Amino acid sequence: MSHTGAAHAEDDRGERGGMRTALAGLTTRGRSFLAAGVAAALCAYVLGQPDLLRVGLLLAALPLVCATVLHRTRYRVAGGRRLSPARVPAGSEARVHLLMDNVSRLPTGLLMLQDRVPYVLGPRPRFVLDRVEPGGRREVSYRVRSDLRGRYPLGPLQLRLTDPFGMCELTRSFSTYDTLTVVPRVEPLAPVRLSGEAKGYGDGRQRSLALAGEDDIIPRGYRYGDDLRRVHWRSTARYGELMVRREEQPQRARCTVLLDTRKLAHRGAGPDSAFEWAVSGAASVLVHMLERGLSVRLLTDTGSLVPGEASAGFAGAGQESADAAGLMMDALAVIDHSDGAGLSRAYDVLRGGREGLLVAFFGDLDEVQATVAAKMCRRSGAAVAFVLSSRTWTREPADVPAPADPTEERLRLLREAGWTAVGVPRGAALDEVWRQADRERTTIRATSGTGPGEGWS
């Protein structure tokens, strides 16, 4: 939930406009009264009628007084905005609450509110508030919804003030605005068991490792209450005091989600495009793995990592994991096509360390990039690839002959390299292809005669 602090309405033209701005806000009724008053005053002067002069001055003074009062109240109205929630999945609604406070000692006239919102969130909401008493507050709300992920500014809020006689109408703007973040849709995934190899993810939860990733055999001094069975006698004899083995701490299993954002690998646009399916799939896998206690990172074809390099690219435990999840979802909310032509940068990141599970979402792969992708799984315990072919996801005109689709050949190359590779048909549900990858992995292990191993879920 986001809340903006109270802000005071300011004139759209600033102080330089002065009374000229106020007079420019005269309505048709106000201009008519002013013209009638001036005409009556002129007639009174020509005809020598003092009573008519008093009527003319009254008619002319009324709109001028109303404009002056409205001009002096521009800093007397405060407002705020609250989003609930500030981060929402694509296709879901968020509610925006507008708060208006009358901080002056006089009641307001009729207030007309208009909030500026991007067109993708719907029409601009407008509200009419009747008289607000001194120190009073009014709250109105409206809903916004977008099928397209992104970050959308809300505001600034515009306020139109009118006097009780309808003589003048002025527009004020607030200086603050909020940002609504629309993140990709996240689909729940089944707890499948795609087994990893012994070198990688599969035994990641079974090994007892130090936080640094190596077996920690450095002893420490004995403390009251330590189990005598943990006494390290060799170190005790060496240091001349009782030493015990440190408690070993398990290393969290790791998962890298690779998203191919190359523009030439994805065709089409909109919520039903292959690229948006891949972004939603990456978000779903990230959330799924974080919920199951894995250290997770997001990697793109450009070599960019979320979380950043400062944390070795992996989300930690507890609050660090929650913060990292927010960073990754915010990154996916605004991620767009890259201008890169290859996957070499992502491969350089993956070959730099010994990783666990690798889940990749690829677009079109030519022969060269399929070869690069095939080498990515060498340092992974288990590697799962979802390949989205543009020819499958875009409808070609009936009179245009469809060229041969090399997707099956690319899938075969990935499978021979050790990937569990699955082609994604147009409009497929992520949970279905997720289960299909599990079935294919199980079939491969049964055919090769390897044991079931330790799976991931």
Side-chain angles (χ1 to χ4, degrees), residues 353-429:
R354 188 173 181 177
E355 311 299 344
L357 173 66
L358 175 61
V359 181
F361 293 85
F362 292 119
D364 290 332
L365 296 173
D366 56 24
E367 186 175 356
V368 175
Q369 300 311 315
T371 303
V372 175
K375 296 186 294 184
M376 290 181 179
C377 68
R378 292 178 180 176
R379 291 185 174 271
S380 301
V384 184
F386 299 100
V387 181
L388 295 87
S389 171
S390 295
R391 293 187 178 92
T392 303
W393 281 78
T394 56
R395 294 188 177 92
E396 299 291 346
D399 56 346
V400 177
D405 191 351
T407 302
E408 287 302 325
E409 180 63 23
R410 308 295 184 247
L411 292 174
R412 183 190 61 80
L413 179 61
L414 294 177
R415 289 164 184 160
E416 290 178 352
W419 286 87
T420 300
V422 178
V424 181
R426 178 184 176 87

Side-chain angles (χ1 to χ4, degrees), residues 156-355:
L157 179 66
Q158 289 185 332
L159 174 66
R160 286 197 298 171
L161 305 172
T162 60
D163 65 278
F165 302 102
M167 298 289 180
C168 186
E169 181 179 284
L170 298 180
T171 301
R172 313 297 183 192
S173 292
F174 291 88
S175 58
T176 58
Y177 67 92
D178 283 291
T179 301
L180 175 68
T181 303
V182 180
V183 299
R185 294 186 182 93
V186 174
E187 298 183 23
L189 300 179
V192 300
R193 299 182 64 83
L194 281 169
S195 304
E197 302 297 338
K199 68 177 182 180
Y201 174 88
D203 60 343
R205 294 187 181 180
Q206 303 301 321
R207 293 177 297 173
S208 292
L209 300 179
L211 289 177
E214 301 291 340
D215 289 334
D216 186 1
I217 59 174
I218 300 177
R220 61 168 174 81
Y222 175 82
R223 298 172 186 170
Y224 178 78
D226 284 338
D227 191 345
L228 294 178
R229 290 175 295 183
R230 292 173 45 216
V231 173
H232 196 266
W233 297 109
R234 182 178 300 177
S235 298
T236 299
R238 178 180 179 182
Y239 293 103
E241 60 176 311
L242 202 60
M243 307 292 290
V244 296
R245 292 186 298 270
R246 294 174 184 251
E247 293 182 356
E248 295 176 342
Q249 303 180 24
Q251 182 187 29
R252 301 180 77 203
R254 292 180 170 184
C255 174
T256 299
V257 178
L258 171 60
L259 178 61
D260 181 6
T261 65
R262 296 172 299 140
K263 187 175 183 179
L264 56 82
H266 299 278
R267 299 178 188 174
D272 298 328
S273 64
F275 181 67
E276 293 301 323
W277 191 99
V279 173
S280 178
S284 302
V285 173
L286 289 171
V287 172
H288 178 79
M289 294 302 173
L290 284 172
E291 289 176 348
R292 277 144 186 81
L294 277 74
S295 295
V296 182
R297 69 177 178 180
L298 172 65
L299 174 65
T300 67
D301 58 287
T302 62
S304 301
L305 285 171
V306 182
E309 297 289 350
S311 60
F314 283 95
Q319 184 60 39
E320 182 183 350
S321 178
D323 294 342
L327 286 175
M328 288 184 283
M329 295 302 290
D330 287 345
L332 288 175
V334 297
I335 200 167
D336 202 354
H337 294 291
S338 69
D339 295 328
L343 301 170
S344 57
R345 293 184 180 178
Y347 171 67
D348 292 339
V349 174
L350 292 173
R351 73 175 180 178
R354 188 173 181 177
E355 311 299 344

Side-chain angles (χ1 to χ4, degrees), residues 110-124:
L110 193 66
L111 301 179
M112 287 172 282
L113 307 179
Q114 176 178 277
D115 207 9
R116 293 183 180 179
V117 299
Y119 72 95
V120 297
L121 298 182
R124 289 186 177 182

Side-chain angles (χ1 to χ4, degrees), residues 187 428-437 439:
E187 298 183 23
L430 176 61
D431 187 59
E432 293 180 2
V433 294
W434 184 256
R435 294 176 183 271
Q436 180 182 349
R439 292 191 297 268

